[in-house]
Amino acid sequence: MSDARTAILHRVRDALSDRPMAGDIPRDYDLHRDYPDLLELAQERIADYKADVRRVSPAQVGTEITAALARRGAARVIAPPGLPTDWRTPEVTWLDDTPLGLDELDAADAVVTGCAVTIAETGTIVLDAGPTQGRRALTLVPDYHLCVIEAHQVVATVPEALARLDTTRPLTFISGPSATSDIELDRVEGVHGPRTLDVLLIES
Amino acid sequence: MTTAQHESPTSRPAAGMRVALMATCLTDTLYPHTARAVVTLLERLGCTVEFPLSQTCCGQMHFNTGYRDDATRLASRMNEVFDGYTAVVAPSGSCAAMVRDIYPKLPGVGEDLAHRMYELSEFLVDVLGVTDVGAYFPHRVTYHPTCHSLRMLGVGERPLQLLRAVRGIDLIELPAAESCCGFGGTFAVKNAETSSAMLSDKMRCVLNTGAEVLTAGDNSCLMHIGGGLSRLRTGVHTLHLADILASTEEDPWHVTQ
Amino acid sequence: MARNPVTWMGVPTFPKAAQEALGDSQLRSNLRHATHTIRDKRAAAVGEVPDWERLRRAGEAIKDETLAHLDTYLQKLEAAVTSRGGVVHWARDAAEANAIVLKLARAAGADEVVKVKSMATAEIGLNEALEEGGVTAIETDLAELIVQLGNDRPSHILVPAIHRNRSEVREIFRNQMPEAPADLSSEPKALAEAARRHLRKKFLSAKVAVSGANFAVADTGSIMVVESEGNGRMCLTLPQTLITVMGIEKLVPTSRDLEVFLQLLPRSSTAERMNPYTSMWTGVTPGDGPQEFHLILLDNGRTATLSDPVGRQALRCIRCSACLNVCPVYERTGGQSYGSVYPGPIGAILTPQLVDDPHDKQAASLPFASSLCGACFEVCPVRIDIPEVLTHLRARAVAEKSKMSPEALAMSAMATMFADPRKYALAQRAGAAAAKLAPSGSVSRLPFPGSRWTATRDMPMPATESFRTWWKTNRKDSDE
């Protein structure tokens, strides 16, 4: 198809024969905005998508993970390779990604992960397939995703989040559970992705 | 509005300012009372109004329908007609927008006239600095902000500021005011059915206000909505903003006009 | 050259199609509800952002920069994707792109492919082309699935089944989904659940997925897909082979540019602070996601669009559909009247340019399907001056028409009259004389083409005394 390539590039150059001027890109939009309590904003905005969000102290994390999984009746839970050991509470069965087959992912009750960064303004959790998150399928196939966010991972704005990310890693931006508004623009939570998203925000 | 209570209706803020009236072909031919109302109003405020008789049409219909050469020819004419006036005032948001936004893009027409062009409410509020023009209009009125006034010119609240200061007026907010009435020049004919569907929704909103009079800053949109209201024998009158602002206790507007 | 499938074969011109749509009261009510709901939501979502206008200017400038050096950025993208283990293909038109997808699907041993909602693949008629080649395309977005199962056509860029209400969707599912329960309710939640069950096995077993792209970063070769339901993540993550079909204008120069579009797009399209899911990948990542990645760069009329200095701004479009939701014409006629996968204001300027055939009457009718109210420009996140392009394309359409057409002759006669104040005044007097025949001051029935006005509206007659006559009589001394 090299001829198509040559032809298209040739057409592009022809089309631009008037040499359109492109001005400088004005970057005067806000890169950062200040908030009195970033965690509170994150909590409120994530919860707006009908996710259950709780603020917990570092010492409570294990107990809260156990409690959240119990509330949702999750017994067989997927663990990404680098999940902190104190998050792997003994009350449930942890499934390590050895790697797990799709059927095994589908049969699991839940997945517990960390995140790469969280955007408070938009209530968005970003996963970058790092050790606390694992490959993308882990957070996709199970019906319940419990995400644990550490305070230092929370930023206010989208530009701040992108500045922290390596965009060549596989990234998933998650804002609430799977949702659709395709029927009469009536929002329904839960289609193909995890239908339940719970979040624990660890205060520093 | 708490606009300048100190302005007495007899104050003449313009103090002899020379203004050229661009009546627009539609108002000149079909609604001459509106152009006379502009003259009355501006003179009451102290302006010296002139009407260059060689003016005809700004070319908007030709431009919007795709006849650019004709539009350019008419635009160049209007440029010459209004040469030398520091302020040109039109009782039309769309014709003023044509001069201001489109003329500079037409070959050989330039921006000169664009800088001197004002829609009536802009001229009153921004140039003369008045919102209370001493008008009296004891009727129930609702206001439709025409698309070109609203979005191309950005006249914003100005017409409403002027209307709120009118004595005796019962001003009712029009629901879904910012929706287009469906006129759109030749659109009303080329896509007559769609235009009529838009019109019927606009009329429903107007009728829901219970207003006797629908006003706007553009006789073209009023011709469209008024044509529908008249066809349905609704009894609602359409009247240009200038006609309301020109009306006074001494010389009030009469339905028969 | 083959016909561009961006418009549907055999559809009438816009006024004719609209006439039919306007008579469908169910459609009118569905559209009214949907457009007003999302319009209000969008206003709230945008109102929250203090630097919205600055973001719009940045979005506009980034896209203009991309278009101004498109050849350079395309080659950069190609190099970056290739270096990360992807394979880049180029397609001049729909047929070429469809053939590449078919060949790749067959090579992967697939007789069916799962699809993420994608405007590019809808534009080229990929599903039909695959079907002809013996490969079944399965739409996985709920709205696309409704359209596909209903043997229907899309009517909106973001929510293609916007013209259907819940009862209609239930009927489609009951008739077309073998496993749908007999007592399926019309609650959106139950319908979404039915779609989930219908597609689950497909996702877990598909060998090949086909997607579009919202953005591609020239610098790094990263591709971004923005979605809501998770069907996108399923397609982009689980199958072994991923084929992405992307219009050549979907590029941004650097990954930093995404910070602008990730703010502009969700609030403009679904009217949310952020859409539920956004996926981004770069080439192939060992052990994570598809191990074979193909990127097809599609022209299909885009370079023709690029060659028009005024019309090329349509290529800034990020397919948010905000302009559809605020358009008073779209609100009444719905999307199918436009006869194209790109309906509404953006469709009215993009479709005729992609079609690039001056003799195509249907495409030529689209730029006239607007009252030029300007609501579209006001909401466009990349500041496409749609009214400007509409009037520009109208001028192009007029230039193609005969100067002897009744409209052209009438326009020319009027311009000649307006060019001469004496002729103009004479015409006014003639009109005033005729007006004496209508003592009420208006007429209710005019002969064609005036009948197109008077079908629903009275027409005022010229005043017995024009303003200029009054002025001459009463004020002439102050002038001339």
Side-chain angles (χ1 to χ4, degrees):
Chain A
M1 280 294 158
S2 69
D3 54 336
R5 180 184 188 277
T6 312
I8 292 173
L9 287 172
H10 190 77
R11 287 179 187 174
V12 169
R13 285 171 197 136
D14 266 2
L16 295 171
S17 57
D18 65 320
R19 301 199 157 266
M21 299 243 294
D24 285 343
I25 294 161
R27 302 270 183 192
D28 56 352
Y29 50 83
D30 300 344
L31 297 179
H32 171 75
R33 277 185 283 265
D34 277 319
Y35 292 95
D37 187 342
L38 207 52
L39 287 197
E40 187 183 289
L41 181 70
Q43 179 176 24
E44 174 202 311
R45 295 283 163 95
I46 300 171
D48 271 356
Y49 299 115
K50 309 254 168 75
D52 185 280
V53 191
R54 294 167 194 235
R55 282 172 77 157
V56 302
S57 71
Q60 291 173 310
V61 180
T63 333
E64 289 291 339
I65 289 176
T66 306
L69 294 172
R71 269 197 304 278
R72 303 290 184 188
R76 296 168 51 76
V77 184
I78 297 164
L83 200 71
T85 45
D86 54 331
W87 296 7
R88 295 175 66 120
T89 56
E91 289 82 357
V92 297
T93 306
W94 292 95
L95 309 172
D96 287 307
D97 186 25
T98 48
L100 296 162
L102 279 184
D103 289 347
E104 292 169 292
L105 293 178
D106 199 26
D109 297 323
V111 61
V112 176
T113 71
C115 78
V117 63
T118 289
I119 310 165
E121 277 189 351
T122 60
T124 304
I125 297 160
V126 189
L127 310 181
D128 70 352
T132 65
Q133 304 136 55
R135 63 192 169 106
R136 286 171 285 170
L138 302 191
T139 47
L140 174 61
V141 181
D143 206 14
Y144 171 42
H145 179 192
L146 175 60
C147 184
V148 184
I149 301 168
E150 297 173 62
H152 68 88
Q153 294 172 323
V154 181
V155 298
T157 66
V158 171
E160 285 175 288
L162 276 166
R164 281 201 190 185
L165 291 164
D166 172 355
T167 55
T168 62
R169 297 180 62 87
L171 298 181
T172 307
F173 294 66
I174 298 174
S175 306
S178 156
T180 184
S181 302
D182 279 349
I183 301 170
E184 297 183 20
L185 290 163
D186 200 349
R187 189 179 161 105
V188 172
E189 277 75 28
V191 196
H192 303 295
R195 286 182 287 187
T196 309
L197 173 71
D198 286 346
V199 173
L200 299 177
L201 270 168
I202 310 179
E203 292 168 333
S204 47
Chain B
M1 279 301 299
T2 53
T3 46
Q5 291 295 324
H6 60 274
E7 280 169 15
S8 95
T10 52
S11 70
R12 294 162 67 82
M17 183 173 184
R18 183 168 163 256
V19 179
L21 169 63
M22 185 175 120
T24 80
C25 58
L26 186 99
T27 289
D28 178 15
T29 308
L30 299 177
Y31 304 98
H33 55 83
T34 300
R36 293 205 301 273
V38 176
V39 175
T40 305
L41 175 64
L42 292 178
E43 287 182 347
R44 196 166 79 215
L45 296 167
C47 295
T48 302
V49 181
E50 294 183 22
F51 179 76
L53 277 162
S54 51
Q55 65 178 283
T56 56
C57 166
C58 68
Q60 184 188 187
M61 182 184 68
H62 286 90
F63 180 83
N64 283 350
T65 314
Y67 294 83
R68 292 224 163 163
D69 294 346
D70 292 332
T72 306
R73 183 151 63 115
L74 295 175
S76 304
R77 274 199 78 253
M78 291 295 254
N79 237 5
E80 284 167 31
V81 169
F82 289 103
D83 190 30
Y85 292 98
T86 49
V88 181
V89 177
S92 162
S94 63
C95 300
M98 174 72 191
V99 172
R100 196 132 91 205
D101 285 9
I102 307 298
Y103 276 21
K105 294 178 187 167
L106 297 177
V109 177
E111 320 199 333
D112 180 42
L113 182 55
H115 294 305
R116 296 179 282 125
M117 185 74 231
Y118 299 93
E119 181 271 342
L120 178 65
S121 73
E122 291 178 325
F123 182 74
L124 294 173
V125 176
D126 298 350
V127 180
L128 300 188
V130 288
T131 48
D132 183 351
V133 297
Y136 170 74
F137 197 80
H139 302 278
R140 180 175 260 220
V141 175
T142 194
Y143 169 73
H144 167 60
T146 63
C147 300
H148 287 180
S149 299
L150 189 72
R151 301 196 185 86
M152 280 178 90
L153 287 178
V155 302
E157 281 278 291
R158 292 177 188 85
L160 285 167
Q161 286 176 299
L162 292 159
L163 284 169
R164 285 182 197 124
V166 172
R167 275 172 261 308
I169 198 166
D170 179 11
L171 190 62
I172 313 280
E173 193 184 330
L174 178 66
E178 298 189 356
S179 290
C180 176
C181 72
F183 174 58
T186 48
F187 170 77
V189 178
K190 283 177 177 281
N191 281 282
E193 285 79 13
T194 307
S195 166
S196 297
M198 290 157 70
L199 172 62
S200 69
D201 287 342
K202 180 59 72 182
M203 289 195 293
R204 190 176 312 125
C205 291
V206 171
L207 294 174
N208 282 344
T209 64
E212 304 160 59
V213 172
L214 170 74
T215 191
D218 220 310
N219 272 329
S220 54
C221 307
L222 288 175
M223 173 175 79
H224 183 241
I225 310 171
L229 291 168
S230 150
R231 169 62 54 86
L232 298 182
R233 308 287 182 261
T234 59
V236 178
H237 293 275
T238 46
L239 194 61
H240 194 281
L241 178 68
D243 290 280
I244 292 180
L245 297 180
S247 169
T248 58
E249 263 176 278
E250 299 74 40
D251 187 14
W253 171 75
H254 289 294
V255 177
T256 52
Q257 229 162 347
Chain C
M1 208 176 75
R3 185 185 170 281
N4 191 327
V6 64
T7 53
W8 304 319
M9 190 101 85
V11 288
T13 59
F14 184 85
K16 234 179 155 170
Q19 193 172 0
E20 201 169 304
L22 288 164
D24 183 340
S25 59
Q26 177 76 75
L27 175 70
R28 293 279 292 274
S29 131
N30 294 354
L31 282 169
R32 188 182 164 76
H33 168 77
T35 52
H36 281 258
T37 305
I38 195 157
R39 196 183 292 180
D40 297 346
K41 259 186 84 183
R42 178 207 158 270
V46 165
E48 235 180 53
V49 182
D51 55 343
W52 186 254
E53 287 308 315
R54 283 172 277 157
L55 286 167
R56 285 179 81 208
R57 299 234 174 236
E60 173 188 18
I62 292 166
K63 282 292 183 181
D64 280 352
E65 161 63 26
T66 308
L67 294 174
H69 303 103
L70 191 59
D71 51 340
T72 311
Y73 289 123
L74 282 169
Q75 290 173 91
K76 265 192 173 181
L77 176 78
E78 179 186 43
V81 169
T82 309
S83 77
R84 303 283 304 218
V87 183
V88 176
H89 311 257
W90 301 67
R92 278 168 286 207
D93 55 24
E96 221 163 56
N98 290 334
I100 297 168
V101 178
L102 185 61
K103 200 177 98 193
L104 292 171
R106 280 180 179 156
D111 55 10
E112 61 180 36
V113 300
V114 286
K115 278 189 69 201
V116 191
K117 178 175 156 20
S118 134
M119 294 310 296
T121 60
E123 170 192 323
I124 60 177
L126 176 65
N127 294 5
E128 295 74 16
L130 288 179
E131 205 67 62
E132 269 175 42
V135 174
T136 307
I138 300 162
E139 293 291 354
T140 65
D141 170 77
L142 180 54
E144 291 285 6
L145 181 68
I146 295 167
V147 170
Q148 190 178 41
L149 292 179
N151 203 13
D152 198 356
R153 279 165 170 167
S155 69
H156 192 278
I157 290 173
L158 175 73
V159 268
I162 198 172
H163 56 292
R164 297 289 194 188
N165 66 16
R166 59 187 69 191
S167 316
E168 295 172 289
V169 175
R170 179 182 56 178
E171 283 317 300
I172 292 168
F173 280 14
R174 281 216 299 219
N175 294 332
Q176 301 295 326
M177 247 181 216
E179 70 282 17
D183 61 346
L184 179 64
S185 105
S186 62
E187 277 309 302
K189 202 164 182 69
L191 298 168
E193 169 76 28
R196 178 186 172 99
R197 265 187 264 146
H198 177 71
L199 291 171
R200 190 82 183 171
K201 270 195 217 86
K202 304 279 185 199
F203 285 133
L204 298 180
S205 62
K207 289 182 189 151
V208 176
V210 178
S211 86
N214 289 97
F215 303 101
V217 181
D219 256 5
T220 59
S222 310
I223 313 284
M224 181 177 265
V225 166
V226 168
E227 51 127 0
S228 291
E229 295 168 9
N231 64 308
R233 292 177 70 192
M234 291 280 178
C235 294
L236 301 171
T237 312
L238 302 185
Q240 194 62 18
T241 301
L242 172 61
I243 305 166
T244 297
V245 183
M246 184 190 108
I248 51 171
E249 83 287 16
K250 297 267 112 184
L251 278 169
V252 295
T254 70
S255 54
R256 193 191 164 180
D257 299 321
L258 297 171
E259 71 189 21
V260 174
F261 294 106
L262 267 183
Q263 298 190 72
L264 289 174
L265 179 56
R267 291 183 199 258
S268 299
S269 63
T270 57
E272 294 168 295
R273 295 189 181 111
M274 190 68 91
N275 51 289
Y277 297 133
T278 295
S279 295
M280 196 165 163
W281 73 94
T282 309
V284 169
T285 305
D288 187 347
Q291 296 303 296
E292 205 179 307
F293 171 54
H294 296 272
L295 179 64
I296 302 174
L297 299 173
L298 175 73
D299 180 348
N300 202 40
R302 285 163 177 75
T303 48
T305 309
L306 187 66
S307 67
D308 184 323
V310 176
R312 66 165 64 116
Q313 58 184 306
L315 296 176
R316 283 187 214 136
C317 176
I318 56 173
R319 311 284 189 262
C320 73
S321 67
C323 61
L324 277 59
N325 302 328
V326 298
C327 176
V329 173
Y330 178 90
E331 179 189 335
R332 272 73 181 195
T333 66
Q336 293 181 350
S337 303
Y338 295 79
S340 160
V341 294
Y342 300 114
I346 185 64
I349 63 169
L350 188 59
T351 301
Q353 296 197 88
L354 292 178
V355 166
D356 192 30
D357 174 3
H359 304 297
D360 185 323
K361 286 198 167 65
Q362 191 273 334
S365 74
L366 295 176
F368 294 91
S370 166
S371 64
L372 303 177
C373 86
C376 47
F377 180 29
E378 201 171 48
V379 297
C380 178
V382 285
R383 294 178 45 81
I384 301 170
D385 189 342
I386 295 177
E388 179 188 25
V389 183
L390 285 168
T391 53
H392 172 75
L393 295 177
R394 288 177 184 188
R396 260 175 49 174
V398 163
E400 287 298 329
K401 271 203 312 210
S402 160
K403 293 226 180 333
M404 303 307 278
S405 76
E407 181 188 283
L409 290 171
M411 283 289 178
S412 166
M414 265 197 283
T416 304
M417 181 262 291
F418 282 133
D420 182 342
R422 278 168 310 176
K423 286 188 184 145
Y424 170 63
L426 264 174
Q428 280 183 327
R429 278 200 289 278
K436 297 208 172 93
L437 302 172
S440 70
S442 69
V443 284
S444 300
R445 189 180 281 174
L446 285 172
F448 186 84
S451 57
R452 306 204 29 88
W453 177 279
T454 53
T456 55
R457 298 153 285 213
D458 289 343
M459 184 72 200
M461 292 303 284
T464 42
E465 184 187 50
S466 69
F467 175 73
R468 71 182 48 239
T469 306
W470 177 86
W471 181 272
K472 266 185 175 163
T473 315
N474 296 282
R475 302 295 184 94
K476 202 180 173 200
D477 53 312
S478 70
D479 189 47
E480 285 195 337

